[in-house]
Amino acid sequence: LGLVSVPLWEQERLRIAAGSTLRPGGFSLTDRAAEVIGLLPGWRVLDVGCGLGATVERLRSRFGAQAWGIEVSDTQIARIQGVSGIIQACGDVLPFVSDSFDALYCECVFSLFPDQKKGLDEFWRVLKPNGFLVLSDLYSLDDSKIESFSCAGRAVPVLQTHEAVEKKGFFVRLLEDHSPYLKELAAKIIWAGNDENEACARRLGYYLMISQKQGAFHAG
Ligand SMILES: C[S@@+](CC[C@H](N)C(=O)[O-])C[C@H]1O[C@@H](n2cnc3c(N)ncnc32)[C@H](O)[C@@H]1O
């Protein structure tokens, strides 16, 4: 029973399957996005929902970024080892002043936000003009949504996310399907969150979306 109440990303079996990156694709999409946006040494980058801090470390060691992470979970925060610059906070109330970052990563987290509009408002606020938003996440291949706190249960069609991002005023520069990474990870574990049957009942994919904050104009 204890296992069922613990979200998948806090379970040992995900760490065994995925290592320190708690998402499909590991660093592949992190690196791909960094290359697409032309991430340069010294850029200020925030990783929202940073899990164990693997991306924060990666962005520093491979790309020379000044990187920070925020993570909401006590359990994850307690597990982070040897990574500085991680702050405990919720992704839709970011403890940073406006126009702080050149890029913001949110990997396999956005579908978990209880209020995605509020999340996008915060992403927009803390990004500098022309800053990049890198989202990667699960999406569903149908319109149904399950009232659930698992990644699988809360996934929505990718076009819904695309529309919300554009409505906020971001310009979507790249949208790619990377569902094979999800299949690869699902082959090692059952991608389930709180309810394995719910995940199995859904048709899911995985996307990478890169958007840019447009100049100084602000869409409400
Ligand atoms: C599937 S894990 C991905 C972790 C990390 N991004 C990675 O790819 O390794 C989802 C993470 O998002 C965190 N999380 C969920 N909702 C959040 C929120 N509203 N704000 C910040 N973090 C959140 C969870 O605690 C968990 O660590």
Side-chain angles (χ1 to χ4, degrees):
L1 274 176
L3 188 68
V4 173
S5 62
V6 176
L8 178 64
W9 53 86
E10 292 182 3
Q11 292 177 22
E12 186 64 17
R13 64 190 173 129
L14 179 60
R15 275 190 292 159
I16 291 166
S20 60
T21 56
L22 308 174
R23 58 180 177 271
F27 289 123
S28 315
L29 300 182
T30 310
D31 293 352
R32 163 131 185 83
E35 281 152 20
V36 168
I37 66 178
L39 206 163
L40 293 169
W43 273 26
R44 295 170 58 90
V45 185
L46 177 65
D47 184 23
V48 172
C50 65
L52 303 177
T55 287
V56 171
E57 265 305 301
R58 180 75 164 190
L59 294 172
R60 287 177 186 156
S61 60
R62 194 177 174 106
F63 298 97
Q66 297 183 65
W68 289 264
I70 69 106
E71 169 56 55
V72 76
S73 149
D74 293 339
T75 307
Q76 303 290 57
I77 290 281
R79 284 178 178 160
I80 294 170
Q81 287 180 346
V83 186
S84 60
I86 311 277
I87 297 162
Q88 188 166 20
C90 192
D92 58 17
V93 189
L94 296 172
F96 299 96
V97 297
S98 303
D99 299 347
S100 291
F101 295 100
D102 299 288
L104 184 151
Y105 276 70
C106 187
E107 301 173 299
C108 208
V109 181
F110 190 57
S111 57
L112 296 170
F113 275 42
D115 184 342
Q116 294 191 337
K117 183 180 177 309
K118 197 172 163 203
L120 286 172
D121 286 348
E122 274 297 82
F123 295 173
W124 179 281
R125 185 183 67 75
V126 300
L127 278 169
K128 296 178 186 175
N130 299 316
F132 290 96
L133 170 62
V134 176
L135 286 179
S136 66
D137 212 347
L138 292 161
Y139 68 88
S140 83
L141 289 154
D142 57 54
D143 282 336
S144 64
K145 192 172 173 185
I146 300 171
E147 279 313 311
S148 155
F149 288 108
S150 77
C151 311
R154 296 184 63 86
V156 297
V158 67
L159 287 181
Q160 203 170 303
T161 307
H162 184 284
E163 264 175 39
V165 165
E166 279 195 334
K167 192 169 175 204
K168 180 64 217 167
F170 288 98
F171 182 80
V172 177
R173 297 211 166 270
L174 175 141
L175 177 58
E176 290 177 341
D177 182 76
H178 288 282
S179 302
Y181 286 132
L182 178 60
K183 291 199 177 85
E184 198 179 283
L185 184 57
K188 298 180 190 165
I189 53 153
I190 299 170
W191 187 268
N194 291 337
D195 181 348
E196 298 183 2
N197 294 327
E198 153 192 304
C200 296
R202 305 201 78 201
R203 292 169 54 232
L204 299 169
Y206 200 78
Y207 71 82
L208 170 67
M209 188 185 298
I210 299 176
S211 318
Q212 200 167 10
K213 175 173 169 174
Q214 297 297 285
F217 112 94
H218 187 280

